[in-house]
């Protein structure tokens, strides 16, 4: 398993199929302590090629050209074992894993960043529900459905430089499909 992770980090195998395989292996790992504590770093961008970056403590999706490409925020994530083995439950964060993406209570829910230790959240299903998303893959793109608000998905606006959010009725004004690539 460690060799597989190093191979993925080298960039030689970064396809969605390998990512899905890795997630499958981690799901099957059961309650191994090392599998519970592994925090992964990935690049996440929408199908219109908008990258994520921080502005005024909001996660924004926009087109980052060469001079600004260093502003791209990587996603740090951990599998949330409190939700069991199905549906790939993950906790997503940015800023080196220090700011978790959380769904606010109420309807419609808002997406917000909160200071958390994502490895601690996995120990309590109730406390981690707002931070948990179910990952699904179809035809090489990923979707992230809120565990706290079933049917609500992580989304970007079809316009550039808008905050990412949640939507329950995707259409032409919002994108819910993302590319997801492991990084070293």
């Amino acid at each position: 398993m460690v060799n597989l992770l190093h191979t993925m980090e080298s960039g030689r195998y970064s396809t969605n199929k390998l990512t899905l395989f890795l997630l499958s292996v981690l799901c099957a790992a059961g309650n191994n302590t090392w599998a519970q504590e592994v925090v992964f770093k990935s690049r996440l961008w929408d199908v219109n090629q908008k990258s994520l970056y921080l502005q005024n403590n909001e996660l924004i999706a926009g087109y980052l050209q060469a001079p600004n490409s260093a502003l791209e925020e990587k996603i740090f994530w951990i599998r949330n074992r409190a939700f069991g083995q199905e549906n790939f439950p993950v906790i997503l964060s940015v800023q080196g894993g220090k700011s978790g993406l959380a769904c606010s209570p109420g309807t419609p829910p808002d997406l917000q960043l909160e200071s958390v230790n994502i490895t601690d959240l996995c120990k309590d299903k109730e406390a981690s529900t707002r931070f948990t998303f179910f990952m699904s893959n179809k035809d090489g793109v990923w979707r992230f459905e809120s565990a706290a608000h079933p049917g609500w998905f992580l989304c970007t606006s079809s316009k550039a430089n808008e905050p990412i959010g949640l939507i329950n009725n995707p259409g032409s004004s919002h994108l819910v499909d993302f590319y997801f690539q492991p990084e070293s």
Side-chain angles (χ1 to χ4, degrees):
M1 180 60 154
V2 172
N3 289 337
L4 176 61
L5 291 174
H6 288 299
T7 301
M8 286 187 70
E9 289 174 354
S10 73
R12 289 184 290 176
Y13 300 100
S14 58
T15 65
N16 281 330
K17 286 184 180 178
L18 188 57
T19 303
L20 187 57
F21 170 75
L22 177 60
L23 290 172
S24 299
V25 169
L26 290 176
C27 286
N31 291 324
N32 291 341
T33 303
W34 69 269
Q36 291 178 18
E37 301 298 327
V38 174
V39 177
F40 295 94
K41 178 181 173 184
S42 296
R43 181 169 182 249
L44 182 71
W45 68 104
D46 74 15
V47 293
N48 282 355
Q49 305 299 314
K50 291 190 300 288
S51 301
L52 304 180
Y53 65 95
L54 283 171
Q55 181 178 1
N56 300 323
N57 204 34
E58 280 191 297
L59 201 53
I60 308 291
Y63 300 105
L64 297 176
Q65 302 302 317
N68 294 322
S69 62
L71 297 175
E72 182 178 25
E73 196 64 42
K74 303 302 182 202
I75 297 294
F76 292 80
W77 61 276
I78 188 167
R79 177 151 160 60
N80 189 349
R81 297 205 173 275
F83 278 82
Q85 300 295 323
E86 295 182 29
N87 299 326
F88 294 124
V90 295
I91 296 173
L92 303 173
S93 64
V94 293
Q95 295 182 312
K98 297 176 184 168
S99 293
L101 278 67
C103 301
S104 67
T107 302
D110 288 322
L111 189 68
Q112 51 202 25
L113 293 177
E114 292 186 21
S115 293
V116 294
N117 180 339
I118 61 174
T119 57
D120 287 344
L121 281 174
C122 295
K123 298 170 185 167
D124 182 348
K125 183 176 181 177
E126 187 175 328
S128 68
T129 300
R130 294 185 316 110
F131 297 89
T132 301
F133 293 86
F134 297 116
M135 290 177 59
S136 60
N137 179 292
K138 183 178 181 187
D139 299 326
V141 294
W142 296 86
R143 287 187 176 188
F144 299 84
E145 181 178 7
S146 169
H149 300 278
W152 288 80
F153 293 86
L154 193 63
C155 71
T156 61
S157 171
S158 59
K159 299 175 187 174
N161 304 312
E162 295 285 331
I164 66 168
L166 296 166
I167 192 160
N168 69 342
N169 191 13
S172 60
S173 64
H174 291 87
L175 304 170
V176 296
D177 294 326
F178 293 88
Y179 297 110
F180 188 72
Q181 179 181 33
E183 297 236 329
S184 55

